[in-house]
Amino acid sequence: MPGRSDQTVPLAVKIVVSGGLGVGKTTFIAAVSEIEPLDTEAPITQLSVGVDSLEGVESKTATTVALDFGRIRLGPAIALYLFGTPGQDRFSFLWDDLVEGALGTVVLADTRRIEECCPALDYFEARGVPFVLAVNRFDGADRFELDEVREALGIAADVPVLECDARERGSVRDVLGALMDRVIGFRAASGRQAVVARG
């Protein structure tokens, strides 16, 4: 037909990137986004002293105060829209809006401040959102076996725990690929349970 486009319109998939303050969410999205990423970074000021802990990330000078946003296509059929959450507890009221409609989540962890990812893990586990844990490798940070990280955080055996470098496009793509596999498996299992329940 004249005027008809042969281009495939990709399926739009919303993905959330979460974790504690300074864990690398903005960097993760910027490394892989095919569009100019949106960020809402603001300088860290004296007002945050005693409110936001910078222990272990003392060199951090800016922080996300609303969201990060980027987009990447995984082949011709799927476009991932990436939404990064703010890391501070005082901005957690934004999470419900950012997570609405998301098919899955990447939770980033930093071994220098491993406990900082716990609020995100608790949040997504409580809501039944499929997620993967990606341990972002920072220069000079202690390195632990992934099984040690899983055990320390009490993560279920079926949840993927991976290493990544949030600065490297290929590493970020691998994490997103693992998340999509997790989402597909999660949905397939949910479908089987629904069939059993109806039967």
Side-chain angles (χ1 to χ4, degrees):
M1 289 176 60
R4 180 179 171 186
S5 172
D6 291 331
Q7 290 186 337
T8 302
V9 177
L11 174 67
V13 176
K14 182 178 183 181
I15 298 298
V16 170
V17 180
S18 193
L21 174 65
V23 77
K25 300 178 294 293
T26 302
T27 302
F28 183 97
I29 291 173
V32 78
S33 181
E34 297 165 344
I35 62 172
E36 184 68 28
L38 166 72
D39 67 57
T40 57
E41 293 268 293
I44 295 174
T45 67
Q46 286 298 112
L47 294 174
S48 70
V49 174
V51 178
D52 301 323
S53 171
L54 295 178
E55 186 177 345
V57 290
E58 291 84 1
S59 62
K60 188 169 177 60
T61 59
T63 186
T64 299
V65 295
L67 74 143
D68 298 308
F69 175 77
R71 185 193 72 208
I72 179 174
R73 285 180 68 149
L74 292 184
I78 299 175
L80 301 185
Y81 290 83
L82 308 174
F83 291 79
T85 65
Q88 304 96 311
D89 287 342
R90 61 194 167 104
F91 294 129
S92 62
F93 66 92
L94 296 168
W95 284 25
D96 288 343
D97 289 335
L98 290 174
V99 171
E100 186 175 353
L103 288 189
T105 303
V106 173
V107 176
L108 285 172
D110 175 355
T111 57
R112 300 170 301 176
R113 298 158 47 96
I114 196 70
E115 71 286 348
E116 291 290 311
C117 70
C118 290
L121 292 173
D122 292 344
Y123 181 93
F124 296 110
E125 284 177 345
R127 283 157 182 77
V129 177
F131 66 90
V132 300
L133 181 80
V135 179
N136 192 8
R137 295 303 188 190
F138 287 90
D139 296 335
D142 291 336
R143 299 179 80 88
F144 298 93
E145 295 295 326
L146 295 179
D147 285 342
E148 292 180 89
V149 174
R150 180 188 299 280
E151 184 176 350
L153 294 172
I155 296 175
D158 63 328
V159 175
V161 178
L162 313 100
E163 286 186 331
C164 81
D165 185 333
R167 301 167 295 186
E168 304 241 339
R169 180 180 177 83
S171 182
V172 172
R173 281 186 67 99
D174 289 346
V175 171
L176 293 173
L179 176 61
M180 292 310 296
D181 289 343
R182 171 75 173 148
V183 167
I184 291 167
F186 191 87
R187 291 185 156 253
S190 297
R192 286 193 296 270
Q193 290 172 358
V195 168
V196 169
R198 285 198 302 269

